[in-house]
């Protein structure tokens, strides 16, 4: 996002009908969703149903595939366990829950289902989405992470929930829970060599205090978890991702977790101070971590606060997903949470769709250490400019509601120069000295040669130019005048507005400059654009290769116009001491 907005309409004309969902037109009150799962994913299914019901959508957990598909949609968890009987494609949504670090499930047949059988995919890992895209899975994919669901253990579930568990196993589990004969619990598949080895070491270090169970699900398992003092999490694969289903199920019922660290643990900052991590493949560090947690006084972790924060995040992402696939009408985006942050306000935001994990990772690696940007996921619609407009309008509404005078918004393909912190401080000083400006653009990809320069001047030795239009959003600082204008983009949205109606709306950049705008630019540009980054708008990288040359041409054009303005005597050289 952020480039060539004037061409986005052409993109839609050429490709829009190919990539659009068949958006559901039924009112939310009439939508029914069946969440189909096997016994091992009951926790995730129950959380989905609770979230859907929270939004007044009729939803139920189904532990087997129905014979008739009379609901509006079916979200199927781990569809490979159900054989070949699936809902019609227009009603079929797959919740992809396998780790792509292994080819255990990523075979041709499974990928074929993801490509051809469903109308949308949701995935619990950002990295998985990058992998599926590399395997040419073109089905629209949305990120929906797993999170703790307080109260999930009290939710009534219909249908058979124990799978192939014998009564002997269930009775033994319930006896262990009632007698409280253990402290440390591991549940799940313990058949892999690494888990066997680590479990044997734990049982030796804590004799008689460890229990390991498998093929136990639903209320019997949750009763057992609530009795434990510690739930242990270890990777199934050598290079495994964080097993968030097990971690968050335990945290949902208020039990501390000791987990093996992982390469993607940093993507879950909410777990810092809540989960105790030990070094990957380190038995000794695992034992130390368990002892540390067992020595903690009860309720040292503030589970209430953690649950509140995590629930807000889950509902935010669920709303985002339902908006993106058209289950919720466009007007509902006004109710979606804007920023999931403990701070009441943040004046620096990076727009970074989680479906493009490599872009987000790159941004986190290049952002200056003395600079903090709050991540905003935005919206990712098949017609990308609609999601772009909604994201910027919501950010503007957030800023206006919090009485902010300025809001800095960048996108995750921005490139920061080594002297960024010094120069952005200079920009803010210049803007503070100006009375009439609407937004500052840190980089402009393309501008018409007829652009008007209304002001050009040197400030502390740097050239600033004011022009009457701009169309890039790689890095912008918005003044309150522009924030008010952007916030009004959706003023004609009603409960009857459909996604097809929305195609007639102006793109956000056209809305911003309608009626004129004072756009300030520093020359040379404050920031750059990262070369080779996958575009969230364009499907081919040929357009990316054009950005660099276009940016250079635009910078040369604006510099020439600004210098001509200066030579004409229409500027004032300001010398300000700070």
């Amino acid at each position: 996002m952020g480039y060539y907005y004037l061409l986005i309409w052409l993109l839609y004309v050429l490709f829009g009908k190919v990539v659009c969902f068949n958006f559901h037109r039924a009112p939310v009150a009439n939508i029914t969703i069946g969440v189909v799962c096997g016994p091992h994913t009951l926790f995730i299914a129950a959380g989905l149903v609770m979230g859907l019901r929270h939004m007044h959508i009729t939803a139920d957990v189904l532990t087997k595939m129905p014979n008739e598909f009379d609901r509006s949609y079916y979200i199927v968890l781990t569809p490979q366990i159900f054989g070949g009987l699936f809902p019609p494609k227009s009603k079929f949504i797959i919740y992809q829950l396998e780790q792509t670090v292994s080819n255990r499930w990523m075979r041709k047949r499974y990928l074929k289902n993801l490509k051809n059988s469903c109308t949308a995919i949701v995935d619990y890992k950002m990295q998985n989405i990058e992998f599926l895209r590399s395997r040419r899975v073109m089905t629209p994919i949305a990120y929906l992470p797993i999170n703790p669901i307080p109260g999930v253990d009290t939710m009534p579930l219909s249908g058979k929930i124990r799978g192939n568990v014998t009564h002997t196993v269930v009775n033994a589990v319930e006896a262990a829970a009632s007698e409280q004969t253990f402290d440390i619990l591991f549940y799940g598949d313990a058949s892999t060599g690494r888990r066997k080895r680590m479990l044997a070491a734990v049982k030796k270090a804590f004799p008689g205090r460890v229990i390991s169970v498998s093929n136990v699900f639903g209320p019997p398992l949750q009763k057992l978890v609530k009795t434990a003092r510690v739930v242990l999490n270890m990777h199934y694969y050598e290079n495994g991702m964080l097993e968030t289903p097990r971690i968050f199920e335990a945290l949902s019922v208020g039990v501390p977790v000791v987990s093996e660290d992982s390469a993607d643990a940093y993507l879950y900052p909410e777990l810092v101070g809540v989960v105790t991590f030990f070094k990957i493949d380190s038995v000794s560090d695992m034992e130390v971590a368990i002892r540390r947690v067992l020595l903690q006084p009860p309720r040292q972790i503030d589970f209430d606060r953690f649950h509140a924060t995590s629930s807000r995040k889950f509902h935010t992402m669920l709303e985002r997903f339902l908006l993106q696939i058209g289950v919720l009408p466009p007007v509902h985006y006004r109710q979606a949470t804007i920023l999931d942050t403990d701070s009441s306000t943040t004046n620096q935001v990076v727009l970074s769709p989680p479906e493009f994990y490599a872009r987000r990772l790159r941004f986190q690696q290049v952002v200056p250490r003395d600079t903090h940007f709050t991540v905003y996921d935005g919206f990712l619609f098949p017609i990308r400019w609609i999601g772009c407009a909604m994201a910027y309008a919501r950010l503007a509404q957030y800023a206006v509601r919090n009485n902010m005078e300025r809001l800095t918004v960048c996108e995750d393909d921005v490139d920061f120069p080594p002297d960024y912190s010094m120069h952005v401080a200079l920009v803010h000083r210049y803007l503070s000295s100006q009375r009439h400006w609407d937004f500052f653009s840190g980089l402009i990809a393309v501008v018409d040669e007829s652009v008007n320069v209304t002001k050009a001047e040197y400030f502390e030795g740097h050239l600033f130019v004011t022009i009457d239009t701009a169309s890039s959003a790689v890095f912008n600082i918005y003044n309150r005048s522009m924030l008010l204008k952007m916030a009004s983009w959706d003023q004609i949205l009603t409960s009857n507005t459909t996604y097809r109606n929305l195609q007639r709306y102006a793109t956000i950049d056209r809305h911003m400059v309608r009626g004129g705008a004072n756009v300030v630019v520093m020359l040379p540009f404050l920031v750059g654009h990262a070369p080779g980054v996958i575009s969230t708008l364009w499907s081919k990288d040929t357009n990316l290769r054009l950005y660099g040359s276009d940016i250079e041409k635009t910078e040369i054009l604006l510099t020439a116009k600004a210098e001509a303005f200066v030579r004409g005597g229409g500027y004032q050289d300001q010398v300000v001491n700070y």
Side-chain angles (χ1 to χ4, degrees):
M1 286 182 284
Y3 294 114
Y4 297 102
Y5 285 132
L6 297 178
L7 296 177
I8 294 176
W9 180 253
L10 177 60
L11 178 68
Y12 165 68
V13 171
L14 292 176
F15 304 109
K17 293 182 180 179
V18 176
V19 299
C20 277
F21 288 117
N22 181 18
F23 287 115
H24 202 286
R25 294 294 188 270
V28 173
N30 297 331
I31 291 176
T32 58
I33 296 180
V35 180
V36 187
C37 70
H40 62 295
T41 54
L42 269 172
F43 160 69
I44 303 169
L48 271 174
V49 167
M50 292 179 70
L52 292 167
R53 291 177 180 177
H54 179 74
M55 287 178 277
H56 308 291
I57 295 174
T58 301
D60 293 289
V61 173
L62 307 175
T63 54
K64 64 178 182 178
M65 195 67 71
N67 295 321
E68 297 182 0
F69 300 103
D70 54 357
R71 290 173 170 83
S72 306
Y73 294 97
Y74 292 85
I75 303 176
V76 182
L77 285 61
T78 58
Q80 66 272 21
I81 70 173
F82 294 102
L85 178 63
F86 295 133
K89 182 175 181 178
S90 61
K91 296 185 174 186
F92 186 16
I93 300 169
I94 290 178
Y95 200 158
Q96 204 293 121
L97 294 167
E98 304 302 336
Q99 293 194 21
T100 56
V101 296
S102 167
N103 62 2
R104 182 184 181 190
W105 294 109
M106 297 298 143
R107 308 291 178 87
K108 287 184 177 180
R109 182 178 178 182
Y110 184 72
L111 292 172
K112 184 178 179 181
N113 280 335
L114 295 177
K115 292 178 181 180
N116 304 322
S117 301
C118 59
T119 191
I121 301 169
V122 282
D123 202 301
Y124 80 124
K125 293 285 187 178
M126 299 183 203
Q127 309 95 301
N128 284 348
I129 297 175
E130 291 281 337
F131 172 87
L132 294 177
R133 192 177 288 118
S134 73
R135 294 300 185 273
R136 300 187 182 278
V137 176
M138 304 307 293
T139 307
I141 309 176
Y143 174 59
L144 183 62
I146 298 166
N147 281 281
I149 312 294
V152 71
D153 56 316
T154 63
M155 178 181 174
L157 299 173
S158 60
K160 184 179 179 182
I161 61 172
R162 289 177 177 173
N164 60 355
V165 185
T166 65
H167 290 291
T168 302
V169 172
V170 171
N171 292 336
V173 167
E174 292 179 345
S178 61
E179 295 172 9
Q180 295 184 327
T181 57
F182 67 96
D183 291 323
I184 304 159
L185 169 66
F186 173 81
Y187 65 92
D189 186 351
S191 63
T192 61
R194 68 187 321 276
R195 281 183 173 173
K196 283 182 179 179
R197 173 176 54 83
M198 299 178 84
L199 272 174
V202 172
K203 290 178 179 180
K204 182 178 180 180
F206 303 91
R209 301 172 68 184
V210 182
I211 185 172
S212 173
V213 299
S214 61
N215 289 326
V216 182
F217 317 105
L221 174 62
Q222 288 159 0
K223 182 178 181 180
L224 190 67
V225 172
K226 291 177 74 173
T227 310
R229 293 181 62 191
V230 176
V231 167
L232 180 61
N233 180 62
M234 302 169 292
H235 300 324
Y236 185 91
Y237 303 106
E238 286 292 340
N239 57 341
M241 303 175 187
L242 199 63
E243 290 83 356
T244 49
R246 179 181 299 106
I247 291 174
F248 289 149
E249 184 167 20
L251 295 175
S252 292
V253 295
V255 177
V257 174
V258 171
S259 174
E260 189 172 11
D261 206 350
S262 68
D264 68 330
Y266 76 96
L267 294 172
Y268 305 92
E270 66 272 23
L271 296 181
V272 175
V274 177
V275 172
T276 301
F277 289 98
F278 61 90
K279 296 176 182 177
I280 296 175
D281 210 30
S282 174
V283 170
S284 60
D285 200 43
M286 175 178 62
E287 293 175 5
V288 170
I290 292 173
R291 293 185 192 281
R292 185 162 66 247
V293 173
L294 290 175
L295 290 173
Q296 291 177 352
R299 302 295 295 182
Q300 178 168 330
I301 300 172
D302 188 350
F303 281 106
D304 291 337
R305 180 180 179 184
F306 174 68
H307 287 161
T309 301
S310 299
S311 294
R312 184 173 67 248
K313 177 180 179 180
F314 175 77
H315 287 298
T316 297
M317 298 306 294
L318 181 58
E319 280 183 320
R320 178 181 181 270
F321 158 60
L322 295 175
L323 276 165
Q324 290 179 177
I325 67 169
V327 172
L328 296 177
V331 71
H332 191 89
Y333 99 100
R334 291 173 175 165
Q335 304 172 30
T337 303
I338 303 175
L339 294 173
D340 182 27
T341 174
D342 292 333
S343 175
S344 58
T345 59
T346 179
N347 60 8
Q348 293 197 130
V349 176
V350 55
L351 185 57
S352 178
E355 290 81 7
F356 291 84
Y357 169 71
R359 288 175 54 123
R360 180 173 292 192
L361 179 62
R362 188 209 68 87
F363 178 84
Q364 292 169 337
Q365 292 171 341
V366 303
V367 64
R369 293 184 178 181
D370 58 352
T371 303
H372 173 72
F373 284 86
T374 299
V375 175
Y376 176 45
D377 297 312
F379 304 96
L380 201 62
F381 287 87
I383 304 173
R384 297 294 173 83
W385 72 260
I386 293 178
C388 179
M390 285 184 170
Y392 279 93
R394 285 299 279 154
L395 284 172
Q397 291 160 7
Y398 162 84
V400 170
R401 188 176 67 243
N402 286 283
N403 299 314
M404 298 171 64
E405 293 299 321
R406 295 180 193 174
L407 178 66
T408 300
V409 182
C410 72
E411 299 186 351
D412 55 11
D413 53 357
V414 65
D415 236 358
F416 296 98
D419 53 3
Y420 165 78
S421 298
M422 178 182 68
H423 280 159
V424 77
L426 166 66
V427 168
H428 279 289
R429 290 198 297 272
Y430 176 75
L431 296 176
S432 295
S433 71
Q434 302 300 299
R435 294 182 60 187
H436 303 294
W437 66 280
D438 295 307
F439 69 96
F440 168 86
S441 186
L443 177 147
I444 299 178
V446 62
V447 69
D448 193 273
E449 290 188 8
S450 63
V451 62
N452 293 317
V453 173
T454 60
K455 189 175 185 178
E457 58 186 348
Y458 284 92
F459 180 87
E460 298 185 24
H462 292 267
L463 179 60
F464 286 84
V465 56
T466 302
I467 57 179
D468 60 355
T469 187
S471 60
S472 293
V474 176
F475 181 102
N476 287 344
I477 301 173
Y478 299 101
N479 200 8
R480 186 166 181 82
S481 58
M482 182 53 65
L483 291 171
L484 289 167
K485 194 171 185 179
M486 293 164 61
S488 68
W489 173 84
D490 65 353
Q491 62 185 351
I492 59 176
L493 272 181
T494 69
S495 58
N496 295 321
T497 304
T498 67
Y499 288 91
R500 293 197 183 278
N501 297 150
L502 211 55
Q503 295 166 16
R504 296 196 295 266
Y505 283 38
T507 56
I508 188 66
D509 64 301
R510 287 182 177 178
H511 180 77
M512 288 165 56
V513 298
R514 181 177 293 163
N518 294 313
V519 185
V520 178
V521 183
M522 184 174 77
L523 296 170
F525 290 142
L526 173 66
V527 298
H529 171 255
V533 173
I534 295 176
S535 172
T536 60
L537 275 180
W538 302 96
S539 58
K540 296 183 179 180
D541 64 0
T542 51
N543 295 288
L544 292 176
R545 290 195 291 268
L546 296 175
Y547 286 164
S549 60
D550 283 346
I551 292 168
E552 183 179 356
K553 290 176 182 177
T554 298
E555 192 171 63
I556 292 172
L557 173 65
L558 291 179
T559 300
K561 283 181 171 283
E563 290 177 345
F565 189 94
V566 169
R567 287 194 300 271
Y571 83 101
Q572 177 183 348
D573 190 7
Q574 300 187 20
V575 179
V576 182
N577 296 318
Y578 287 88

